[in-house]
């Protein structure tokens, strides 16, 4: 039983892409996924070094963004800077030009000019939006809605579809679902999880399933990544953490770096049953770790990748069709393998959101 999965072309490629910080994943090549949460890029506490002139409303939390950050929050920031009259490319990368635009914005607003976007700066950046609004600020909200799994077009037109998506996120965040994007809604969009149940909340059932997986012979969990090095986010560590009642950790180079994600119990149960009901020996190469499409179900704790089945590598005689059929019977709705783009070397089983 291999303990060191062979790198797959896709994962190696996407890991490179991740390191080169390309945010816009090409959906067609992606290892699956319809929607995503491209969660808070900042890992630092949301303290703002700016003056507290327009302090953000209480009970909101804001990501701290600075040079080097990337993801949907940065995309939103850039749209908001454009809305504020600054000229900056919207590419999801907080590079020198974005830092410059932030400083110019801070100067214009009388904030401390440090190029770091914390609560005070967010407070000045976010307008209140409602149906009928247009422009780059609407694009900012739409980009965030999209990153939170809502299917909206990022077209800068606040129509009924955008309103419905806003309401859905408001509802999920415990806010009044009025479809109006004010500071609290911006905060909820920018800091997923701040108003929602902690995805890392221990679930006895979830932890028990993970424990069972760890104790099941014939289920091997990778202790390395095909495309990077991070012990905290390997498939094995994801399950160990889940068994300990913690969220599974994403990889620092992924589109959703350093996030704790609750693994879906259907997925965990499905993995167990591939062994117990279908008799397959499987090696899981990634769960929430590694680099996937920004829309990937991996980041939602709904998917795993299998690279060895019954001792053979996928693409080298492993019975991938059997495994794929088993995943479907176990409730997976996104099942990809050899013959599907990017999946010549692994099988992806994803459960619905
Ligand atoms: Zn996958």
């Amino acid at each position: 039983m291999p303990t060191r999965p062979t790198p797959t072309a896709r994962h190696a490629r996407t890991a490179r892409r991740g390191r080169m910080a390309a945010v816009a994943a090409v959906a067609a090549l992606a290892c699956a996924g319809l929607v995503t949460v491209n969660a808070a890029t900042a890992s630092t506490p949301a303290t703002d070094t700016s003056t507290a002139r327009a302090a953000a409303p209480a009970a909101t939390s804001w990501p701290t963004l600075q040079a080097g950050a990337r993801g949907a929050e940065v995309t939103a920031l850039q749209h908001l800077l454009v809305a504020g009259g600054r000229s900056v490319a919207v590419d999801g990368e907080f590079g020198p030009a974005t830092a410059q635009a932030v400083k110019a914005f801070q100067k214009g607003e009388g904030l401390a000019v440090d190029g770091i976007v914390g609560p005070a700066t967010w407070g000045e950046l976010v307008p209140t939006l409602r149906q009928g609004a247009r422009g780059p600020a609407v694009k900012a909200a739409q980009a965030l809605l999209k990153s939170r799994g809502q299917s909206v077009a990022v077209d800068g037109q606040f129509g009924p579809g955008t309103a419905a998506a806003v309401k859905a996120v408001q509802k999920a965040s415990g806010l009044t679902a009025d479809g109006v994007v004010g500071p609290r809604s911006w905060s909820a969009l920018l800091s997923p999880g701040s108003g929602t149940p902690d995805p890392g909340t221990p679930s006895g059932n979830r932890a028990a399933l993970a424990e069972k997986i760890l104790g099941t012979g014939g289920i091997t969990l990778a202790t390395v990544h095909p495309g990077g090095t991070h012990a905290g986010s390997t498939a094995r560590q994801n399950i160990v953490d889940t068994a300990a009642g913690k969220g599974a950790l994403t990889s620092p180079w992924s589109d959703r770096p350093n996030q704790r994600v609750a693994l879906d119990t259907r997925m965990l149960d499905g993995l167990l049953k591939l062994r117990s009901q279908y008799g397959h020996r499987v090696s899981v190469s990634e769960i929430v770790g590694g680099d996937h499409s920004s829309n990937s179900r991996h980041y939602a704790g709904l998917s795993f990748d299998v690279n060895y089945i019954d001792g053979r590598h996928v693409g080298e005689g492993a019975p991938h069709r059997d495994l794929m059929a088993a995943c479907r019977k176990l409730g997976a709705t996104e099942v990809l393998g050899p013959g599907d783009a990017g999946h010549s070397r692994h099988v992806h089983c994803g459960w619905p959101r």
Side-chain angles (χ1 to χ4, degrees):
M1 184 60 57
T3 53
R4 199 179 170 85
T6 308
T8 65
R10 197 206 87 83
H11 280 130
R13 170 169 47 73
T14 52
R16 269 198 307 282
R17 189 192 68 211
R19 283 194 219 98
M20 294 191 312
V23 158
V26 180
L29 294 176
C31 184
L34 306 169
V35 282
T36 189
V37 177
N38 206 337
T41 308
S43 54
T44 46
T47 51
D48 197 340
T49 53
S50 305
T51 61
R53 193 184 132 234
T60 57
S61 73
W62 305 85
T64 299
L65 298 182
Q66 53 192 306
R70 62 194 181 96
E73 294 76 19
V74 176
T75 301
L77 166 66
Q78 291 166 331
H79 280 307
L80 288 169
L81 286 166
V82 172
R86 304 294 151 188
S87 160
V88 66
V90 178
D91 60 3
E93 303 290 328
F94 198 132
T98 300
Q100 213 44 53
V102 167
K103 285 180 184 171
F105 179 83
Q106 290 172 326
K107 194 172 177 197
E109 297 296 328
L111 299 165
V113 181
D114 59 5
I116 299 171
V117 183
T121 304
W122 283 119
E124 293 292 345
L125 277 167
V126 297
T128 295
L129 301 174
R130 44 173 55 84
Q131 196 166 330
R134 291 161 178 262
V138 175
K139 285 188 183 175
Q142 290 169 328
L144 291 167
L145 287 163
K146 210 172 160 188
S147 81
R148 296 218 51 189
Q150 299 297 318
S151 79
V152 291
V154 182
D155 60 2
Q157 315 272 347
F158 197 135
T162 300
V166 168
K167 287 177 188 172
V169 169
Q170 288 173 325
K171 200 174 169 195
S173 305
L175 300 170
T176 306
D178 58 5
V180 177
V181 186
R184 280 165 193 270
S185 297
W186 281 108
S187 167
L189 284 167
L190 283 159
S191 296
S194 61
T196 52
D198 177 4
T201 299
S203 151
N205 191 27
R206 179 177 294 129
L209 287 166
E211 190 74 53
K212 208 166 169 188
I213 288 169
L214 291 172
T216 299
I219 300 178
T220 302
L221 303 162
T223 55
V224 294
H225 297 282
T229 305
H230 184 243
S233 58
T234 62
R236 180 169 179 85
Q237 196 59 45
N238 283 172
I239 297 294
V240 167
D241 284 346
T242 301
K246 291 192 279 184
L249 193 61
T250 63
S251 298
W253 63 84
S254 70
D255 289 277
R256 273 193 73 190
N258 310 312
Q259 302 293 303
R260 291 267 174 200
V261 180
L263 299 187
D264 194 274
T265 51
R266 295 165 299 169
M267 182 269 281
L268 293 168
D269 191 52
L271 177 55
L272 274 170
K273 286 178 177 162
L274 284 177
R275 178 69 184 140
S276 65
Q277 284 190 4
Y278 291 85
H280 289 298
R281 284 180 293 126
V282 293
S283 283
V284 178
S285 52
E286 295 286 12
I287 305 178
V288 306
D291 197 27
H292 308 276
S293 152
S294 61
N295 292 333
S296 174
R297 292 187 198 184
H298 283 280
Y299 299 137
L302 291 162
S303 303
F304 54 75
D305 290 339
V306 168
N307 60 349
Y308 283 85
I309 307 164
D310 301 336
R312 306 197 69 165
H313 204 293
V314 173
E316 294 174 12
H320 64 267
R321 282 191 194 83
D322 290 356
L323 195 84
M324 290 168 75
C327 277
R328 287 192 192 94
K329 283 181 191 156
L330 290 165
T333 53
E334 185 179 71
V335 181
L336 302 164
D340 298 311
H343 291 77
S344 60
R345 303 276 296 163
H346 72 276
V347 168
H348 166 101
C349 296
W351 273 257
R353 291 174 193 270

